[in-house]
Amino acid sequence: MKALAVFPSSREVRLIDQPEPMIAGPTEVKLRILEAGICGTDREITSFQYGTPPVNSPHLIIGHEALGEVIEVGSGVTGLAPGDLAVLTVRRPCPHDRCGPCRKGRQDFCITGDFTERGIKGAHGYMTEFVVDDERYVVKVPKELREVAVLIEPLTVAEKAAEQGRVLVQRLPGDLKNDPSSLSAVVLGAGPIGLLGAMKLVDGKWNTYVYSRGKADSPNVRIVSAMGARFVSSEEHPPADLVKMVGNISLVYEATGAAKISFDVLSVLGVNGVFLFTGVPGVMAPVEIDAEQIMRNLVLNNQVICGTVNAGRASFEEGVQDLVSFMRRFPAAVRALITARVALDDARDAVLSRGGIKSVITVA
Ligand code: BGC
Ligand code: ZN
């Protein structure tokens, strides 16, 4: 079968021919990959800044955002059957007994660092024709989501952040746990992670603002309006203006991976506010931030900063439900997130080029 692989030692990215994987245990599931999304992480891996091949392999098959069709199941599989649509989780547990999170299926909180991530770190990914994995990493998707289900993995970034946000709200005294409809949230960034996060917030009744570079007539900004959020251009308005436009900023969902703008917005976070970081910046020169202002606000305004990496199985299941809800409320906005579909034969060029919102490799 064909697969798109990166060879870090020779700095090559190319299609390779791989043996098809076979079911080897009773709880395994074999999927035919239908689509695989391309994200910033794939671009970092194919520019050799990130990513690690499996032990003893010179190459890594990339791709971690996949929709597949179940074609075969082991004798012990109970929740999936041939013909089902399904998405795959990314992180796999470390082998150490002392790692409580991994032993409990929460490898997104692994304490040893020896977890693997399919398509990213130490395990082959999904930009290929067939994949086999244990059923606990395979999440069933209703047929009605066929055309957009490839967005579930990036949506789990927002789902995991929401899980963390729900816990952080619990620190507030009982009668201060406000209904979100009286609160305002700011999403930083209007790429796929930002737009999917904004959809989650709008669907959860937050007054939602998306703060990003970009012109009012860009496709990203049209999606912001179509879902019922408001766009504020960071090119026209510095962070101080955000407070004038938004009022008290109770929540910031960061989806830029850019430290400077994120910490500048942190300095205008509101009273009792929560700031959720999801972006992974590259290794760059130090940036200047107003640390005294930020520290003063953190203390005097009871603020919380939380970093979050996706995601446990529950976030994938919540993502499936939320995507159904988004498709009922604003289907055109969801569909508009996918701006290109490219065949696996052309995947290399698609991964190495930029532009659009979300490009998807169509495998079958
Ligand atoms: C993936 C996550 C992964 C992270 C860091 C993201 O693109 O969606 O599953 O943990 O990269 O490797
Ligand atoms: Zn990704």
Side-chain angles (χ1 to χ4, degrees):
M1 63 173 189
K2 286 187 263 188
L4 185 65
V6 51
F7 293 75
S9 57
S10 55
R11 297 177 77 88
E12 284 173 280
V13 183
R14 59 182 160 85
L15 273 183
I16 59 169
D17 197 32
Q18 276 284 108
E20 211 177 290
M22 305 284 192
I23 289 195
T27 55
E28 288 187 343
V29 176
K30 182 167 178 175
L31 299 116
R32 180 197 317 281
I33 298 297
L34 302 174
E35 293 191 325
I38 301 173
C39 89
T41 304
D42 300 311
R43 300 205 161 96
E44 279 173 27
I45 298 171
T46 52
S47 56
F48 317 104
Q49 300 167 44
Y50 196 61
T52 316
V55 178
N56 297 328
S57 166
H59 66 273
L60 170 72
I61 297 174
I62 65 164
H64 59 274
E65 307 180 356
L67 168 67
E69 181 190 344
V70 175
I71 55 168
E72 196 187 330
V73 296
S75 57
V77 170
T78 51
L80 291 157
D84 285 345
L85 293 183
V87 292
L88 289 126
T89 68
V90 180
R91 233 185 231 209
R92 302 292 175 264
C94 78
H96 310 293
D97 287 340
R98 68 189 162 86
C99 185
C102 283
R103 302 290 67 76
K104 295 187 178 85
R106 284 311 301 261
Q107 45 272 16
D108 50 327
F109 287 99
C110 176
I111 59 171
T112 68
D114 290 338
F115 60 84
T116 57
E117 288 175 337
R118 292 204 64 169
I120 303 173
K121 178 180 184 282
H124 288 311
Y126 310 138
M127 250 176 233
T128 185
E129 294 174 78
F130 300 96
V131 166
V132 168
D133 216 328
D134 194 276
E135 72 165 325
R136 81 191 111 138
Y137 308 125
V138 184
V139 178
K140 190 172 165 175
V141 168
K143 295 260 158 56
E144 65 183 286
L145 291 183
R146 169 69 176 84
E147 61 179 321
V148 290
V150 70
L151 298 170
I152 289 168
E153 196 281 341
L155 175 58
T156 62
V157 176
E159 300 296 353
K160 167 79 179 285
E163 176 197 67
Q164 300 298 292
R166 284 193 291 268
V167 175
L168 296 171
V169 165
Q170 295 307 315
R171 82 206 146 94
L172 297 174
D175 53 354
L176 296 181
K177 289 178 199 125
N178 281 330
D179 167 19
S181 61
S182 65
L183 300 175
S184 295
V186 172
V187 172
L188 294 188
I193 304 288
L195 293 169
L196 286 162
M199 288 178 181
K200 169 92 183 156
L201 287 162
V202 168
D203 204 38
K205 302 196 174 60
W206 287 79
N207 298 312
T208 306
Y209 294 78
V210 176
Y211 185 58
S212 167
R213 285 184 298 212
K215 301 268 174 294
D217 59 350
S218 76
N220 310 52
V221 176
R222 283 199 292 275
I223 293 173
V224 172
S225 320
M227 74 174 87
R230 274 166 281 191
F231 178 75
V232 181
S233 166
S234 61
E235 286 164 42
E236 288 163 25
H237 298 282
D241 284 6
L242 260 181
V243 184
K244 290 179 213 144
M245 300 164 94
V246 176
N248 190 65
I249 301 173
S250 296
L251 180 76
V252 176
Y253 174 77
E254 178 279 322
T256 61
K260 173 70 179 151
I261 185 70
S262 299
F263 280 86
D264 285 350
V265 172
L266 176 57
S267 69
V268 300
L269 181 65
V271 178
N272 302 334
V274 173
F275 194 111
L276 298 164
F277 277 98
T278 77
V280 185
V283 181
M284 282 180 271
V287 294
E288 204 168 284
I289 61 168
D290 191 347
E292 263 142 13
Q293 171 76 24
I294 290 170
M295 186 165 161
R296 190 180 310 121
N297 288 351
L298 277 166
V299 173
L300 296 178
N301 290 329
N302 302 298
Q303 294 169 338
V304 180
I305 305 176
C306 173
T308 155
V309 67
N310 60 320
R313 185 180 171 103
S315 293
F316 280 78
E317 286 166 352
E318 212 178 322
V320 171
Q321 285 172 22
D322 280 343
L323 201 56
V324 169
S325 172
F326 301 171
M327 283 300 276
R328 294 198 177 134
R329 287 189 62 169
F330 32 73
V334 181
R335 288 194 187 102
L337 292 171
I338 299 176
T339 42
R341 282 191 156 88
V342 177
L344 184 56
D345 283 337
D346 301 318
R348 180 180 186 276
D349 289 349
V351 174
L352 296 178
S353 65
R354 286 182 166 274
I357 301 174
K358 172 65 74 183
S359 298
V360 167
I361 305 303
T362 303
V363 182

